[in-house]
């Protein structure tokens, strides 16, 4: 989006002084207190003071500041309170604010542990605030490099001061998206909007752009020019709700990217006339919008780095703009992956998810696409087929689990090849041209270079390959590459198609004999992919495979439509549905919409889902019962917010008019297509990265009208000498997802697979959500 950057000069600061970074002018000092009376024994038995670090967990703070509240017990006078940071008195930073809290922004935190103490009379309490660099990392583990910062960076961590600009919504419908606003020459076509707090204001937006964690973030807020804004006294149009927007695909980068804003992963440009993006709708309702480049899976397919960037952005927001009631995520494809996996592995960052073009995670879909890749190598080379074996396109698609081979081609060409190839060009890496020193991996000329595979960007989570399996390239680099967290060993591809009589035994045997596998460089090998045991286990432990164990505490609206053959069929939404059902016995915290528009169901649903999710979360917010949050989300869901199908031929069509009805369509009409592994006999969860093996039994093929010949049986035994998949037991390495993991130890050294962070420090992150939602962070 084009925008005019406005320098932080007098022109901007005078009317927006409290919107700029934390004001340096402190509150007036409190009057000197009277000599306090000694506390009674009854007073000593109760906490006279509590310190709450509102803007984040006290142990995960960054950028040298934190928003802190001191809560005195009844009878403790505010003027008696003294606050110190180590030996430094910081009481002047605190005051009774318009929101009724005694709070302030504590600045000057050193990197590492800082002790903040509040005293009143004979009482005192302390909290340790652990501060981290603005450039990170915090819990994502040692940062990978080399990394190429933007030209304007002030240091090697890409830090630079935030910049600010103004945008507006035009009253002219031919102007799509938000337009640049010039304070010196204000436009005459500024629209007005009435927020959900009932405040009518010109539709003018303030945009903050800055850097955290070596990458860009963006914060958008509806603003009344010329009026003050302080974090404890925001302008009245702000409703204290946040929308987080996401991008698509899955990739790796070693340079800053752009925070995504538009719906549908960029398929509909943000400035398309006649299309109102949901982030614009949200701004008009009084929401603020946050986006980070690191939370765009196409730029960074690493769940820990995604969660870290969102946490840092929320901290900055609470410190500079205001407390948050709840946060809603929205996004298509990779945007659904980021929401699902962050919500499951780092619960508390979101309260509601709006997912479309849906996938549950990267790695289980990645295993499906790896199967496509290898099947294509076999199917598209008839010269390699055994004598007498001929495959029709229909049979190929059948074995793949689809109605057309187009899906596998697009998935492979558009997603899998680039994501898994370590030699793929990715931002921040260089080839050895024009005198540049090569930084990108090349298996022949630069084995020690930066690998652009998404598995390598995940290496802190999944770990490195053990020395015992190193390739010549790994030996030359002097290190193991990121482990391979999936396998196809033991899979009888096409078994269900064979059972149905749609392929012959000769086709089945030839496919499995020549299927092959992939090495650590994603290059084909004759044998099956073995996978690295430790990496497979860590993929589950770290939440890179989303098993939905922790999604019961978020409300979810998922919508989509038929897939025209671009690897986004609605079946992936059902993967999440099945996993939710397995884990919690119901899916009542999730709503499923299916429509006729390819992939997205209906162009208007992004905005409708936003308003419906807002209605749902408002109901939960009002529920102050002492019952689990998961129960509130189910019980407080509006009764008329249900599954639906619309614009589907023969369904919801009344008297020739469009209509929407509760949906109980056959799954075939919702295009719940299959996968190569389901067609091999695996289950509907599609979460088995690698299977456990059992002996190959000849009786498995008793269904054949013509039994396997002795030669065919020997051929099959040679293909599966160690046995075949046993789908009656959990897959290899499957363990429960651990939440809030850190990927470094106290000295900053990597901890592959992560270590559990300590419990949430008392009084931490209360600024992230209303009280009804905070239970999820306390667990």
């Amino acid at each position: 989006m084009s925008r005019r950057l406005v320098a932080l000069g007098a022109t901007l600061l005078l009317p927006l002084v409290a919107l700029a970074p934390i004001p340096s002018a402190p509150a007036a000092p409190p009057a000197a207190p009277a000599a306090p009376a000694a506390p009674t024994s009854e007073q000593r038995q109760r906490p006279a003071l509590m310190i709450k670090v509102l803007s984040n967990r006290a142990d995960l703070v960054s950028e040298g500041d934190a928003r802190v509240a001191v809560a005195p017990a009844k009878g403790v006078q505010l003027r008696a309170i003294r606050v110190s940071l180590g030996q430094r008195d910081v009481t002047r930073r605190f005051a009774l604010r318009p929101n009724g809290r005694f709070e302030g922004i504590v600045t000057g935190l050193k990197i590492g542990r800082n002790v903040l103490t509040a005293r009143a009379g004979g009482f005192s309490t302390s909290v340790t605030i652990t501060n981290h660099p603005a450039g990170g990392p915090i819990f994502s583990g040692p940062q990978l490099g080399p990394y190429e910062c933007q030209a304007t960076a002030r240091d090697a961590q890409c830090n630079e001061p935030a910049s600010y600009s103004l945008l507006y919504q035009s009253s002219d419908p031919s102007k799509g998206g938000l337009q640049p606003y010039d304070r010196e020459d204000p436009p005459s076509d500024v629209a007005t909007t009435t927020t959900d707090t009932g405040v009518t204001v010109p539709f003018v937006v303030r945009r903050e752009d800055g850097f955290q964690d070596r990458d860009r973030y963006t914060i958008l807020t509806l603003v009344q020019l010329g009026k003050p804004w302080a974090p404890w006294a925001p302008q009245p149009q702000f409703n204290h709700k946040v929308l987080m927007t996401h991008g698509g695909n899955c990739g790796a980068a070693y340079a800053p990217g752009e925070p995504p804003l538009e719906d549908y992963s960029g398929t509909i440009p943000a400035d398309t006339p006649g299309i109102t993006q949901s982030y614009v709708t949200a701004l008009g309702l009084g929401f603020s919008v946050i986006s980070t480049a690191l939370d765009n899976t196409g730029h960074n397919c690493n769940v820990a780095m995604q969660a870290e960037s969102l946490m840092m952005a929320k901290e900055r927001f609470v410190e500079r703009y205001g407390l948050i009631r709840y946060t809603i995520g929205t996004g298509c494809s990779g945007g659904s992956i980021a929401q699902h996996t962050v919500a499951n592995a780092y619960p508390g960052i979101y309260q509601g998810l709006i997912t479309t073009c849906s996938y549950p995670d990267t790695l289980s879909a990645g295993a499906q696409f790896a199967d496509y890749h290898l099947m294509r190598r076999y199917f598209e080379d008839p010269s390699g087929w055994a004598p007498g074996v001929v495959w029709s396109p229909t049979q190929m698609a059948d074995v793949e689990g689809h109605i057309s081979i187009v899906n596998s081609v697009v998935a492979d060409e558009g997603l899998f090849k680039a994501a898994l190839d370590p030699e793929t060009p990715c931002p921040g890496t260089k080839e050895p041209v024009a005198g540049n020193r090569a930084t990108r991996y090349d298996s022949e000329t630069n084995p020690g270079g930066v690998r652009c595979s998404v598995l390598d960007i995940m290496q802190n989570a999944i770990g490195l390959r053990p020395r015992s399996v190193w390739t010549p390239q790994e030996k030359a680099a002097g290190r193991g590459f990121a482990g391979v967290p999936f396998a196809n060993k033991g899979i009888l591809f096409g078994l269900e198609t064979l059972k149905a009589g749609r392929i012959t035994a000769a086709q089945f045997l030839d496919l499995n004999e020549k299927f092959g596998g992939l090495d650590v460089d994603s290059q084909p090998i004759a044998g099956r992919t073995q996978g690295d045991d430790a990496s497979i286990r860590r993929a589950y432990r770290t939440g890179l495979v989303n098993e939905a164990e922790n999604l019961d505490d978020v409300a979810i609206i998922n919508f989509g439509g038929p897939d025209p053959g671009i690897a986004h069929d609605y079946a992936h939404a059902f993967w999440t549905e099945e996993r939710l059902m397995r884990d919690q016995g119901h899916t009542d915290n999730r709503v499923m919409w299916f429509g006729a528009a390819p992939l997205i169901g209906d162009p208007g649903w992004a905005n409708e889902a936003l308003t419906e999710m807002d209605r749902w979360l408002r109901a939960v917010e009002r529920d102050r019962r002492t019952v689990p949050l998961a129960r509130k989300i189910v019980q407080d869901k509006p009764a008329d917010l249900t599954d639906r199908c619309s614009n589907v031929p023969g369904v919801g069509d009344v008297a020739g008019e469009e209509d929407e009805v509760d949906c109980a369509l056959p799954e075939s009409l919702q295009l719940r297509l299959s996968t190569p592994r389901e067609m091999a006999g695996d289950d509907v969860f599609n979460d088995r990265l690698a299977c456990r093996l059992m002996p190959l039994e000849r009786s498995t093929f008793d269904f054949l009208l013509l039994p396997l010949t002795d030669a065919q049986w020997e051929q099959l035994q040679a293909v599966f000498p160690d046995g075949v998949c046993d789908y009656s037991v959990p897959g290899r390495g499957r363990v429960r997802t651990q939440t809030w993991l850190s990927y470094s130890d106290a000295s900053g050294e990597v901890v592959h697979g992560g270590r559990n962070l300590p419990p949430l420090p008392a009084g931490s992150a209360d600024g992230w959500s209303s009280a009804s939602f905070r239970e999820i962070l306390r667990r």
Side-chain angles (χ1 to χ4, degrees):
M1 176 186 299
S2 62
R3 59 186 185 273
R4 173 172 172 160
L5 296 181
V6 183
L8 283 177
T11 302
L12 179 61
L13 283 175
L14 286 175
L16 293 176
V17 62
L19 277 175
I22 301 169
S24 57
T40 64
S41 59
E42 179 183 355
Q43 289 173 322
R44 290 193 185 96
Q45 293 174 2
R46 65 185 184 189
L49 296 170
M50 289 184 61
I51 299 176
K52 295 187 175 183
V53 181
L54 301 175
S55 51
N56 200 348
R57 285 179 54 129
D59 54 347
L60 301 178
V61 163
S62 62
E63 296 195 71
D65 52 31
R67 183 173 174 179
V68 177
V70 178
K74 185 177 180 180
V76 177
Q77 296 182 350
L78 295 182
R79 63 191 183 94
I81 298 174
R82 289 290 180 269
V83 186
S84 60
L85 181 63
Q87 300 301 312
R88 178 163 58 95
D89 190 302
V90 294
T91 308
R92 291 172 62 89
R93 305 296 304 177
F94 289 79
L96 181 62
R97 304 299 183 180
N99 61 8
R101 294 174 182 261
F102 186 73
E103 63 174 88
I105 307 293
V106 177
T107 61
L109 300 173
K110 66 182 181 181
I111 299 298
R113 294 164 59 88
N114 301 260
V115 177
L116 186 72
T117 302
R119 297 181 177 85
F123 301 107
S124 70
T125 188
S126 297
V127 65
T128 298
I129 302 176
T130 305
N131 178 49
H132 301 79
I138 299 180
F139 55 69
S140 62
Q143 293 172 324
L144 304 180
Y147 195 86
E148 185 176 274
C149 289
Q150 73 282 9
T152 52
R154 300 290 181 87
D155 57 33
Q157 289 296 93
C158 307
N159 292 311
E160 68 172 75
S163 60
Y164 301 85
S165 58
L166 295 173
L167 305 166
Y168 77 99
Q169 175 76 17
S170 174
S171 57
D172 181 352
S174 68
K175 294 181 178 180
L178 298 180
Q179 310 299 314
Y181 183 101
D182 187 347
R183 288 180 61 90
E184 300 301 321
D185 184 18
S188 60
D189 60 336
V190 178
T192 59
T193 185
T194 299
T195 70
D196 63 14
T197 60
V199 179
T200 300
V201 294
F203 204 136
V204 179
V205 173
R206 179 183 191 260
R207 175 168 178 155
E208 175 183 339
D209 289 284
F211 285 79
Q212 293 177 318
D213 223 2
R214 302 194 306 181
D215 221 320
R216 292 182 173 91
Y217 72 86
T218 291
I219 298 174
L220 300 173
T221 53
L222 195 65
V223 64
Q224 296 187 60
L225 299 177
K227 296 185 178 181
W229 185 317
W232 30 76
Q235 292 179 359
Q237 72 276 3
F238 174 43
N239 60 20
H240 292 270
K241 306 170 192 175
V242 167
L243 179 70
M244 286 180 165
T245 55
H246 302 79
N249 213 315
C250 179
Y254 295 85
E258 289 293 332
L261 288 171
E262 67 272 12
D263 298 319
Y264 313 131
S265 303
T267 57
I268 302 177
D271 57 356
T272 303
I275 299 292
T276 301
Q277 302 283 340
S278 64
Y279 84 92
V280 177
T281 299
L283 288 166
L285 292 170
F287 281 71
S288 289
V289 174
I290 295 175
S291 182
T292 73
L294 286 176
D295 200 36
N296 175 4
T297 55
H299 176 68
N300 164 54
C301 214
N302 179 323
V303 63
M305 291 172 66
Q306 292 165 356
E308 183 172 272
S309 74
L310 294 178
M311 179 192 72
M312 295 177 76
K314 290 187 79 164
E315 177 188 334
R316 184 177 181 88
F317 185 91
V318 172
E319 290 165 359
R320 288 157 174 78
Y321 293 89
L323 303 179
I324 301 171
R325 291 164 59 186
Y326 46 79
T327 298
I328 299 171
T330 186
C332 164
S333 189
S336 67
I337 290 173
Q339 292 180 76
H340 283 137
T341 52
V342 170
N344 195 54
Y346 292 89
I349 287 180
Y350 306 98
Q351 282 68 55
L353 311 181
I354 299 172
T355 59
T356 188
C357 329
S358 187
Y359 291 104
D361 56 63
T362 298
L363 291 184
S364 52
Q368 175 191 9
F369 296 167
D371 295 340
Y372 285 161
H373 179 75
L374 291 167
M375 281 186 174
R376 287 189 66 208
R377 289 184 56 82
Y378 170 77
F379 286 143
E380 295 176 15
D381 182 15
S383 66
W385 299 347
V389 169
V390 177
W391 288 85
S392 71
T394 300
Q395 290 174 315
M396 297 175 190
D398 197 338
V399 170
E400 291 172 348
H402 276 257
I403 56 178
S404 167
I405 60 174
V406 172
N407 191 282
S408 64
V409 173
V410 175
D412 189 28
E413 296 293 338
L415 299 172
F416 180 80
K417 284 184 176 179
L420 266 289
D421 182 358
E423 297 184 9
T424 291
C426 65
T429 62
K430 297 183 178 69
E431 295 177 337
V433 296
N436 289 331
R437 183 177 65 85
T439 59
R440 189 183 310 138
Y441 174 81
D442 185 288
S443 60
E444 296 182 0
T445 64
N446 193 24
V450 176
R451 292 167 58 87
C452 290
S453 161
V454 298
L455 298 182
D456 289 281
I457 205 80
M458 299 175 183
Q459 66 179 254
N460 287 349
I462 61 178
L464 305 178
R465 284 157 44 89
R467 185 181 295 269
S468 60
V469 297
W470 281 7
T471 62
Q473 288 78 15
E474 288 170 296
K475 293 175 182 176
R479 69 178 191 278
F481 300 150
V484 178
F486 54 85
N488 62 17
K489 184 178 180 179
I491 299 178
L492 291 162
F493 287 106
L495 179 62
E496 297 301 312
T497 312
L498 177 64
K499 286 181 179 179
R502 297 193 292 268
I503 61 173
T504 66
Q507 288 174 296
F508 170 79
L509 289 166
D510 196 50
L511 169 66
N512 280 281
E513 182 179 48
K514 297 169 182 174
F515 196 90
L518 297 171
D519 67 11
V520 70
D521 277 355
S522 199
Q523 296 302 305
I525 56 176
R528 293 293 183 93
T529 305
Q530 303 294 311
D532 297 298
D533 285 337
S535 293
I536 292 168
R537 183 177 66 255
R538 289 165 178 159
Y540 292 100
R541 169 180 164 79
T542 61
L544 287 168
V545 176
N546 168 32
E547 295 287 55
E549 305 105 319
N550 307 303
L551 292 184
D552 55 341
D553 287 313
V554 289
I556 308 172
I557 297 177
N558 180 85
F559 61 91
D563 175 26
I566 56 176
H568 287 83
D569 60 81
Y570 204 58
H572 296 109
F574 280 103
W575 293 9
T576 305
E577 192 85 349
E578 297 289 356
R579 297 177 198 182
L580 279 169
M581 178 64 75
R582 177 180 62 190
D583 181 72
Q584 59 192 37
H586 66 84
T587 61
D588 296 339
N589 63 317
R590 189 175 193 240
V591 173
M592 295 266 278
W593 297 348
F594 182 80
L599 302 188
I600 63 175
D602 189 294
W605 278 354
N607 287 302
E608 184 181 357
L610 171 65
T611 56
E612 289 296 281
M613 179 60 72
D614 183 37
R615 185 163 67 109
W616 189 351
L617 295 180
R618 283 202 314 270
V620 176
E621 182 183 46
R622 291 192 296 265
D623 189 342
R624 302 304 295 272
R625 295 176 297 161
T626 55
V627 300
L629 174 58
R631 189 185 306 176
K632 293 180 185 179
I633 287 174
V634 169
Q635 295 177 350
D636 296 333
K637 181 174 66 176
D640 59 345
L641 181 54
T642 60
D643 293 352
R644 69 166 66 154
C645 293
S646 70
N647 304 326
V648 178
V651 177
D653 192 326
V654 179
E657 297 180 358
E658 288 186 5
D659 193 14
E660 294 178 353
V661 297
D662 291 349
C663 179
L665 279 177
E667 291 173 3
S668 59
L669 289 181
Q670 296 184 63
L671 297 183
R672 181 174 180 174
L673 304 175
S674 188
T675 67
R677 298 194 180 206
E678 281 188 71
M679 298 307 294
D682 206 343
D683 54 40
V684 295
F685 304 110
N686 283 282
D687 62 344
R688 201 183 312 265
L689 298 183
C691 67
R692 299 183 186 277
L693 300 179
M694 64 180 183
L696 176 65
E697 299 289 346
R698 197 162 185 168
S699 59
T700 301
F701 301 91
D702 284 349
F703 60 83
L704 291 171
L705 295 177
L706 295 175
L708 294 176
T709 66
D710 289 344
Q712 288 175 323
W713 175 243
E714 291 176 4
Q715 181 183 3
L716 197 60
Q717 287 180 307
V719 176
F720 299 102
D722 299 320
V724 294
C725 289
D726 182 355
Y727 296 125
S728 69
V729 297
R732 252 168 69 199
R734 186 184 164 205
V735 295
R736 288 189 64 85
T737 299
Q738 298 294 300
T739 62
W740 286 92
L741 293 177
S742 174
Y743 295 92
S744 58
D745 60 21
S747 64
E749 295 297 315
V750 65
V751 177
H752 292 127
R755 63 178 178 87
N756 296 88
L757 286 167
L760 183 78
S764 288
D766 278 5
W768 281 17
S769 63
S770 299
S772 294
F773 298 101
R774 290 179 196 154
E775 166 201 323
I776 191 171
L777 281 168
R778 304 284 179 261
R779 292 211 305 257

